[in-house]
């Protein structure tokens, strides 16, 4: 039995489409556990799913979508180009394979997962040009990038001239990534914040726990609400039903400006990253 959709606001994208601000991420969900986990998320009312070729679970995400019976136009599905697939023919082939695994005629959003400035002769602009062609040929409604630093955005805008709809970057209270968020905003690109609760590392934080006690919410809910009020798109991951539900209960409370500033002040700069630095990451 599928519950009604959560009351998630839509964020307008620069290509005329829109995306639900809250979704469900499936990084590090084992293929054997993915169908059941995504079914729980859909039952909870999530309608936006974030997967990737790299995660190895697109087929199981597709099985959960098929089993749900939810009409295609009520779902928003993102996948991402794997690091070994940046050459034009590989990108085209890999999107066809992703669609086959997901059981979909098109995805809503296809992203370059990492810019890989030290591979492919640093030519991620050509990869971006291919992504734009894939949008034109209908395999994806929107195209965007992930882990693009401001200089990477400048380069594709100079060389290709098409603005990505989104940039999916690491953002959490310990790595607020303001320079990349500001570059996105300057170009009219929506920011998606990956690992929004720093993969669980926010647990035990005195500032976050203090706010959570006062607003009678959990630390995860406080941090997820912080992202929403800052305007970023998020898709927390959990394989536990109670946390999947907890992470969706974000729409009946608000944080004050002081709370938002207090959480942002936890920023530790680059040492707050949970993942690799995009300027040096080779994708291997
Ligand atoms: P998250 O910040 O969403 O944290 C997930 C971790 O936190 C898991 O270990 C989960 O454990 C735990 N957790 C979830 N909910 C709660 C809760 N309410 N209380 C306490 N712990 C909780 O990290 P992710 O790295 O998964 O990021 C989210 C999504 O972002 C990914 O799934 C993926 O879609 C995307 N992503 C994109 C990247 C990119 O390069 N573009 C990189 C990384 C992520 P458990 O499952 O055991 O509940």
């Amino acid at each position: 039995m599928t519950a009604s959709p959560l009351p998630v606001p839509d964020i307008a994208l620069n290509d005329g489409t829109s995306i639900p601000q809250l979704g469900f991420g499936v990084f590090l969900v084992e293929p054997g556990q993915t169908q059941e986990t995504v079914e729980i998320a859909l039952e909870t009312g999530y309608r936006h799913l974030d997967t990737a070729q790299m995660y190895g679970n697109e087929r199981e995400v597709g099985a959960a979508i098929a089993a749900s019976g939810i009409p295609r136009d009520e779902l928003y599905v993102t996948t991402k180009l794997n690091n070994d697939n940046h050459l034009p023919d590989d990108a085209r082939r890999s999107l066809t394979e992703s669609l086959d695994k997901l059981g979909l005629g098109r995805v809503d959003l296809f992203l370059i997962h990492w810019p890989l400035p030290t591979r492919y002769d640093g030519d991620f602009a050509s990869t971006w040009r291919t992504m734009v062609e894939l949008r034109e040929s209908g395999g994806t409604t929107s195209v965007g990038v992930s882990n693009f630093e401001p200089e990477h955005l400048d380069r594709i805008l100079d060389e290709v001239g098409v603005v990505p709809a989104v940039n999916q970057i690491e953002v959490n209270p310990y790595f607020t990534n303001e320079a990349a968020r500001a570059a996105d905003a300057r170009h009219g690109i929506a920011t998606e914040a990956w690992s929004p609760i720093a993969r669980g590392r926010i647990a035990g934080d005195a500032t976050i726990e203090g706010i959570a006690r006062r607003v009678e919410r959990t630390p995860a809910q406080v941090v997820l609400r912080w992202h929403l009020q800052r305007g970023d798109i998020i898709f927390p991951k959990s394989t536990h039903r109670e946390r999947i539900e907890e992470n969706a209960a974000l729409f009946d409370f608000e944080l004050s400006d002081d709370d938002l500033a207090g959480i942002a002040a936890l920023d530790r700069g680059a040492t707050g990253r949970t993942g690799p630095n995009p300027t040096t990451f080779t994708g291997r």
Side-chain angles (χ1 to χ4, degrees):
M1 163 92 170
T2 303
S4 347
L6 297 163
V8 177
D10 281 331
I11 299 278
L13 301 181
N14 60 25
D15 60 6
T17 65
S18 63
I19 183 170
Q21 195 181 6
L22 175 71
F24 185 74
V26 294
F27 179 41
L28 297 180
V29 183
E30 291 299 325
Q33 213 180 358
T34 300
Q35 181 173 348
E36 186 192 352
T37 302
V38 173
E39 283 180 9
I40 293 170
L42 294 173
E43 281 165 26
T44 304
Y46 293 82
R47 291 293 180 269
H48 165 185
L49 303 172
D50 185 274
T51 185
Q53 294 170 351
M54 187 194 292
Y55 303 166
N57 55 20
E58 289 172 306
R59 196 173 292 287
E60 293 74 16
V61 170
I65 290 171
S68 76
I70 297 170
R72 175 67 185 92
D73 63 2
E74 292 177 19
L75 289 170
Y76 193 98
V77 181
T78 298
T79 196
K80 314 185 193 84
L81 181 75
N82 207 353
N83 296 329
D84 292 335
N85 292 334
H86 276 215
L87 295 177
D89 283 349
D90 293 331
R92 293 183 195 110
R93 174 191 46 76
S94 77
L95 179 57
T96 303
E97 286 170 7
S98 288
L99 294 174
D100 176 59
K101 289 178 182 163
L102 288 161
L104 301 176
R106 59 166 183 87
V107 285
D108 297 278
L109 179 61
F110 192 39
L111 305 179
I112 301 180
H113 206 147
W114 289 89
L116 308 179
T118 61
R119 267 176 77 182
Y120 302 103
D121 297 323
D123 189 13
F124 48 84
S126 290
T127 311
W128 178 238
R129 201 172 282 112
T130 307
M131 298 290 281
V132 174
E133 282 169 23
L134 289 171
R135 181 184 66 186
E136 283 159 8
S137 60
T140 180
T141 303
S142 297
V143 281
V145 296
S146 176
N147 299 302
F148 272 47
E149 293 289 316
E151 66 268 24
H152 303 142
L153 293 177
D154 287 343
R155 173 122 173 248
I156 59 172
L157 294 177
D158 282 352
E159 293 191 28
V160 185
V162 176
V163 186
V166 313
N167 186 13
Q168 184 176 125
I169 55 175
E170 178 168 12
V171 186
N172 70 64
Y174 306 125
F175 181 59
T176 56
N177 210 348
E178 296 304 348
R181 291 180 76 246
D184 290 348
R186 210 163 45 242
H187 296 301
I189 300 169
T191 294
E192 298 191 325
W194 62 251
S195 296
I197 56 169
R199 302 192 178 153
R201 289 183 206 175
I202 58 150
D205 185 285
T207 300
I208 295 167
E209 285 193 343
I211 296 170
R213 267 194 302 278
R214 186 161 39 72
V215 300
E216 300 182 334
R217 298 288 162 157
T218 67
Q221 287 171 325
V222 164
V223 171
L224 294 171
R225 183 74 208 176
W226 172 77
H227 286 283
L228 293 179
Q229 287 185 221
R230 279 156 51 97
D232 291 354
I233 299 155
I234 50 170
F235 20 82
K237 166 265 177 188
S238 177
T239 50
H240 297 95
R241 183 185 287 272
E242 62 283 5
R243 287 175 170 176
I244 293 171
E245 291 172 358
E246 174 186 332
N247 297 345
L250 305 176
F251 301 103
D252 57 354
F253 74 106
E254 273 198 40
L255 300 177
S256 68
D257 289 345
D258 281 353
D259 292 338
L260 297 180
I263 297 170
L266 299 173
D267 182 39
R268 299 173 188 159
T271 59
R273 283 187 190 276
T274 66
N277 185 326
T279 57
T280 50
F281 185 54
T282 64
R284 293 183 167 127

